[in-house]
Every structure is written in C-alpha cells, then in structure tokens.
Amino acid sequence: MCLCRGLYQPDSHIARKFCAAIFGWAQLGTTTKPGSHAHRNAGFIRQAGEWHWGCRMNPAFRWWCQEAPFLALISRPTPYAAATLMAKQRQYQFCFGPWNISEGQDPYGPPTRPPQTFDWKLKQLKKLGFDAMMFHDDDAVPDIDGKSDAHLRKESKELKQKLDDAGVAAEMVAPRLWFSPKTIDGAYTSNDPKCRQYAIDRSLRCLDIAGYLGTDLIVLWLAREGTYLREAKNGRRSTELLVQALDKMLAYNKKIHISIEPKPNEPMDHAYIPTIGHALAIAQLTRDPKRVGCLIESAHAILAGLDPADEIDFAMTFGKLWSLHLNDQNGLKFDQDKPFGSSNLRVAFNQVRALERNGYGKHGEYVCFDVHPFRTTKVEHWLAHLVNSRRTFLRLVRKARTYDEKTARQLIADRDYAALDQMVLEHLMGE
Ligand code: XUL
Ligand code: MN
C-alpha cells in the first residue's frame, strides 16, 4: 500500500495500473471464510460508497482512509453513471423533489431553462440512482383546487403506479399553502375564517394523497404563518390556531406523522415557527405529540443564526428528526438553496458528523437535498447540483468516519481547542 501511495502521481498511467493490480490481488487473495469477522476485515471493503482497506474493523489500517491517493484516484469528479454507482454502495438513501430541477426564475427575471415534464424529472431521478422523491400536493395532483376527490384519488393512484414501476418511493407530501389567493394573509393563521377553513380542507386532501402514494409523512413548511408587521396578528392566538390545525390533521388520519420544517423568515418578515425548538415545543401541545416531529433544512437554520448541526443533535435527542433538507446558505440574505457544502464545508462536515453519531437513516429516513441550480446553469448541466450535493455528502461521511476521535478527545481533555481547530481544518484539507 505504501508503495502504491508513493508511486501515485495524479496522471500516472503506471500508478493507476499498479493500484488496479494490487486492488485485484487484495480481492482475490482473501482466504478467510465469507461472512466472518476476519473476512470483512481483510482486503478492501466498501464504506460510504468508497473502497477502503479493512479500515472499518481494523484501526491499524485507518491511516489509509485519510485521503489516501488511491482513494483520490477513484473519487475524482465522475460522470453521472459513476456517481450513481457510488450512491448505490452506501447506507444512506437519497431523495429530491421535482421543484429541485427548477428553471431559474427569480424576483427580477424570467426562467433561463425551459420547463420539463414530471416524467422526465422522474426518469432523471431514477437514472441518477436516487431512491425517493418528495412531493408538494400539487406536484402529485396539478391544479388540485379545481379537482374533485374522485379525480384526486385517480391521479394519485396513477402516480403511485409510475413510482412503483420506476422503483422509486414517495418520501413525503407537503401541502402548498402559499400560492392560493386564499392564503395571502397566511393559511392556518389567516385573519379570515373562510381562508383558514380552506387551509384545513386542503391539508386534509394532502393527507389523502399521502395515503394513496404510500407514505405516512406529511411535511409542513409554514410559509405564510407569520407577519409583515407585528400588530397585524396576535401571536398567542396564532400559536393556538396552529395547534388546532395540527390536531385536525392528526385526528383525520391516525397513521400520519407530521414533520414541521421551520424557517425564520422569507416570505414573511417573522415566522411563528422559526426553529426546531419552536417546532418541538408546539408538538407537545397537540393531541398526539409523538406523531409531530420535524424536518431540518440547513439553509433555514443558518437564516435563524443557528448551526444546523446543533439543530440536528437537538431534534435527534427527542427522536424527532424524520426528514432532512440539506443545502447551503451564504449568510443572512435571501434563501439560497445552494449545493450542500458549497458555502461552508466545515458546517456541512459537522452536519454529517451529527447525522452519523445519531444514526440518522436507521429507521428509513431519507437524506433529501433541497437545492436549486444556479440561474446561470445551462440545460446540459441541469442536474449537477443534485449529483454534487450527494457526492459532497458521501465524501463528508468518509471524513466523519476517519476523523481522529482519540486525538480529539485528548485535545478536548487538555482544553487545547486551538489544536483541535487546526486538526479539523487539516482533516478537511486532507493533510
Ligand atoms: C422553502 C422550502 C420548501 C419546503 C417544501 O424554503 O424549503 O421547499 O422544503 O415545501
Ligand atoms: Mn426545504
């Protein structure tokens, strides 16, 4: 291995061939009994979608995982097909929504890419090796407000068939309560009782769609539940209205679980449920607190001035992190939905560490990327933000698993946080 490490030059053909030969030998030369501990410990093993030399079981080989050149060789930016293969070899399951293949419009300009059909998006998701798709109610049933319950059932079932044929799961359904003229002043907290009723009715239809699509997870991003000016609503009454709305959903379907996705602002000046603390606190006031949990979006936590890793640890202490929207955000400005790790790799690393130490995904939770292409992105690069986010995530899983916990513990015991800080930076830089 040392020889391979020494020989490696980024563009050396011989080194590549040599590594391949060693790799083949290590695979074929194993004489241990399949399935035994020794067998798993011998030769190369796959971990987090990458090949490692027995490092999961045998700490003696852990050095090899620290950005070994062989790994660098096989982890170069890959075309989509190779990235797909990589994703198939890990323990996490990945997901995105049809809105994440967006057309580039912003408040100041029109789309920069032509719209694509849902079928095309599903095909891309499948081709890239993602496992599930997340939905708004009207992603599943377009123009939902003008359709009867019978229509809603028919279209949802047709969609379920398409998903089954593609081998793709529906991760969640979220009512889009921020588009209609009836939700201009908020949905559940609107000052108009007729509008509040619309929001409840629409939410219950969303629960029906979830049932047809075979998921018990409802996501509530409470987009307009807040104010542009404080005097327009009564905060206490709004909190009570939110509890009433949650109670109606919980009573309507005894199987569903509701994940609240907090966001502190945008579109509102101030939202009523800005953080995970607020989401979990309001869950306690409902008729069935154990069925109300949360979804953390990295960018939303950053907009609240919080570290998303702390939000993850907090939610997972309660066993209530049921979904995740990983992305990135460059400071306190409009919601950017940048690729995961794009602005702050260390913050991304700490999110992955928090997920790893809490066992996220063990109960079937998905890692979803709520990321958007840049407005400048050309059609031929339209899916890169999704592939790159997953790739960065998997690289950071490897970084989390090869982090030198023992030295970190010693430095913490010595209160030598300067050295700890540098150790983290050098680990991330690969030196
Ligand atoms: C809004 C946001 C939404 C939700 C789904 O900022 O993140 O995409 O995730 O309704
Ligand atoms: Mn989101």
Side-chain angles (χ1 to χ4, degrees):
M1 290 307 108
C2 294
L3 189 56
C4 186
R5 186 190 262 267
L7 255 181
Y8 176 76
Q9 294 294 322
D11 289 313
S12 157
H13 223 70
I14 303 166
R16 220 169 296 169
K17 283 211 166 128
F18 183 76
C19 285
I22 294 283
F23 174 74
W25 165 82
Q27 286 288 292
L28 296 170
T30 306
T31 53
T32 48
K33 219 167 102 200
S36 69
H37 177 93
H39 184 82
R40 283 193 299 276
N41 209 6
F44 283 93
I45 62 162
R46 273 177 178 154
Q47 188 180 347
E50 312 280 3
W51 284 100
H52 298 249
W53 175 257
C55 53
R56 191 206 298 264
M57 304 291 181
N58 190 344
F61 288 114
R62 211 158 264 166
W63 64 270
W64 172 252
C65 294
Q66 318 265 344
E67 279 302 277
F70 179 79
L71 291 179
L73 175 70
I74 58 173
S75 343
R76 293 175 158 193
T78 47
Y80 290 165
T84 300
L85 186 72
M86 212 170 94
K88 287 240 182 296
Q89 297 163 348
R90 46 65 195 140
Q91 66 172 41
Y92 288 99
Q93 299 191 92
F94 297 101
C95 171
F96 65 81
W99 67 90
N100 298 120
I101 307 181
S102 52
E103 289 98 40
Q105 63 271 38
D106 67 16
Y108 305 97
T112 54
R113 294 173 290 272
Q116 270 294 358
T117 61
F118 173 80
D119 288 355
W120 183 85
K121 291 179 181 181
L122 178 60
K123 207 166 126 198
Q124 302 313 309
L125 180 140
K126 170 104 186 116
K127 213 154 88 184
L128 298 180
F130 281 72
D131 307 281
M133 193 177 242
M134 46 185 179
F135 291 93
H136 292 112
D137 51 4
D138 58 358
D139 294 321
V141 181
D143 307 316
I144 183 175
D145 283 336
K147 287 180 178 160
S148 67
D149 287 344
H151 240 96
L152 183 137
R153 182 188 155 93
K154 181 174 169 290
E155 285 188 36
S156 304
K157 292 206 155 186
E158 282 166 8
L159 172 59
K160 172 76 166 101
Q161 191 59 54
K162 255 185 218 175
L163 294 174
D164 286 351
D165 291 347
V168 168
E171 192 245 356
M172 62 82 165
V173 189
R176 196 193 297 273
L177 293 172
W178 52 93
F179 251 63
S180 161
K182 295 200 181 93
T183 56
I184 289 172
D185 187 32
Y188 311 128
T189 65
S190 167
N191 281 319
D192 181 340
K194 285 195 292 303
C195 293
R196 292 202 298 272
Q197 191 57 49
Y198 162 81
I200 300 284
D201 293 343
R202 172 120 179 205
S203 303
L204 300 185
R205 299 187 93 204
C206 176
L207 265 55
D208 290 342
I209 296 176
Y212 298 136
L213 297 188
T215 174
D216 65 358
L217 188 65
I218 299 296
V219 168
L220 289 185
W221 170 48
L222 300 166
R224 297 194 190 277
E225 315 300 2
T227 53
Y228 298 111
L229 63 155
R230 264 291 152 264
E231 298 81 3
K233 287 182 186 174
N234 173 331
R236 169 152 187 175
R237 177 156 164 67
S238 294
T239 307
E240 288 164 359
L241 287 169
L242 287 170
V243 175
Q244 284 170 25
L246 288 163
D247 277 348
K248 285 194 178 124
M249 287 181 253
L250 292 167
Y252 182 75
N253 181 331
K254 300 278 178 344
K255 289 200 187 115
I256 56 123
H257 288 69
I258 300 173
S259 276
I260 299 175
E261 179 181 353
K263 182 177 178 182
N265 61 284
E266 204 198 33
M268 308 311 290
D269 182 13
H270 288 284
Y272 285 127
I273 306 292
T275 68
I276 291 302
H278 289 78
L280 297 190
I282 206 165
Q284 292 310 115
L285 292 181
T286 65
R287 57 186 289 147
D288 196 355
K290 64 181 185 314
R291 288 198 286 138
V292 183
C294 63
L295 178 160
I296 291 169
E297 172 161 326
S298 327
H300 297 179
I302 294 165
L303 284 169
L306 300 172
D307 188 319
D310 287 344
E311 291 280 82
I312 290 170
D313 273 327
F314 186 78
M316 293 198 77
T317 306
F318 289 79
K320 288 222 175 181
L321 186 60
W322 301 334
S323 188
L324 196 58
H325 285 182
L326 294 183
N327 56 18
D328 212 350
Q329 171 73 28
N330 187 19
L332 303 183
K333 50 183 87 169
F334 59 93
D335 187 4
Q336 296 182 305
D337 294 333
K338 294 177 90 176
F340 184 54
S342 153
S343 280
N344 193 328
L345 205 53
R346 187 172 184 172
V347 169
F349 169 65
N350 281 312
Q351 287 171 76
V352 173
R353 277 195 85 209
L355 295 171
E356 284 271 300
R357 73 173 149 256
N358 287 291
Y360 184 84
K362 275 193 186 149
H363 305 290
E365 304 92 345
Y366 290 88
V367 173
C368 305
F369 297 110
D370 197 358
V371 292
H372 285 271
F374 301 120
R375 189 163 192 265
T376 46
T377 299
K378 294 178 190 163
V379 169
E380 59 266 38
H381 307 139
W382 204 345
L383 304 165
H385 61 304
L386 294 159
V387 173
N388 293 344
S389 292
R390 183 180 59 189
R391 179 178 167 76
T392 302
F393 179 88
L394 288 170
R395 294 285 300 264
L396 289 175
V397 168
R398 201 170 80 217
K399 286 287 178 189
R401 290 179 186 175
T402 56
Y403 180 68
D404 188 348
E405 302 283 357
K406 194 171 155 212
T407 305
R409 273 196 302 275
Q410 282 162 1
L411 294 173
I412 290 165
D414 286 350
R415 218 176 66 199
D416 190 353
Y417 296 161
L420 181 67
D421 185 36
Q422 192 61 19
M423 190 187 102
V424 173
L425 291 181
E426 295 201 3
H427 185 56
L428 287 177
M429 289 187 290
E431 284 168 25

